Amino acid sequence: MTDTRGPQPQYEGYATGPLPGEREPAPGPSGPYHPPQAYQAPGGGTQGGQRPAEGTLGGAQGVGGAQATRKPRTGARTTPRTRKARLRVAKADPWSVMKVSFLLSIALGICAVVASAVLWMVMDAMGVFETVGGTISEATGSNESNGFDLQSFLSLPRVLIFTSVIAVIDVVLATALATLGAFIYNLSAGFVGGVELTLAEDE
């Protein structure tokens, strides 16, 4: 297809100047573009090759020197402080009290049985039962009988059985009394507020 319009005229203004809507370039030597800064550069830096004022530089050096030569206070407190907190036992859980008292009662019962066995062995090795038993036999004896035999009555199996029965009774009674005490404490704490405790912590 052939263009029949012929040569078109050239616009001299567009060839040498800016297009419509464009800004004319400012006269002078062109250099790197520095956007405007809202804040001063940290560390006393410069923007766009500008040099900071002499008074500002001197003030910054003075502040830096004062911070570098600052010394700690000699009268600072070195003794540790004690923090205290005042708390109040407002309620005791009966179920947790029962479990703890049950375990403690079992432990005390086992200790009582072991202590009774050890004490009996020590007294038997020292001859206490033989001496006391002979005295009681002579005091309670007669022509028909030899009297009361303390050694056969206080034998080790009998002592352990008697101590075990007492330990079982102690477990039951201690658990019941501790649980009942928890209920009574909760009732009294509802009226008076409970027991207040002051806890201290050393830093």
Side-chain angles (χ1 to χ4, degrees), residues 22-174:
E22 293 185 355
R23 182 179 299 176
E24 295 184 2
S30 61
Y33 174 72
H34 298 283
Q37 298 293 330
Y39 301 98
Q40 186 178 0
T46 59
Q47 292 292 340
Q50 297 180 358
R51 188 174 182 179
E54 183 177 358
T56 306
L57 183 58
Q61 291 179 357
V63 173
Q67 292 180 355
T69 59
R70 181 178 296 176
K71 297 181 180 180
R73 293 180 298 176
T74 57
R77 186 177 180 181
T78 57
T79 57
R81 295 184 303 171
T82 302
R83 294 190 302 177
K84 294 182 180 180
R86 191 172 183 180
L87 304 177
R88 182 179 61 186
V89 183
K91 183 180 179 181
D93 188 13
W95 175 248
S96 61
V97 171
M98 184 183 69
K99 292 188 293 183
V100 173
S101 61
F102 178 73
L103 294 178
L104 290 178
S105 301
I106 290 179
L108 291 177
I110 295 174
C111 292
V113 173
V114 174
S116 300
V118 173
L119 181 62
W120 188 93
M121 292 179 183
V122 171
M123 294 178 66
D124 184 60
M126 294 174 61
V128 175
F129 295 115
E130 184 177 356
T131 303
V132 176
T135 303
I136 294 176
S137 297
E138 291 178 0
T140 59
S142 60
N143 295 329
E144 291 81 9
S145 62
N146 294 328
F148 182 74
D149 191 4
L150 183 63
Q151 286 184 326
S152 61
F153 180 77
L154 293 179
S155 61
L156 182 60
R158 286 189 176 184
V159 171
L160 293 180
I161 292 174
F162 182 73
T163 308
S164 301
V165 171
I166 292 178
V168 171
I169 296 174
D170 178 69
V171 168
V172 176
L173 290 179

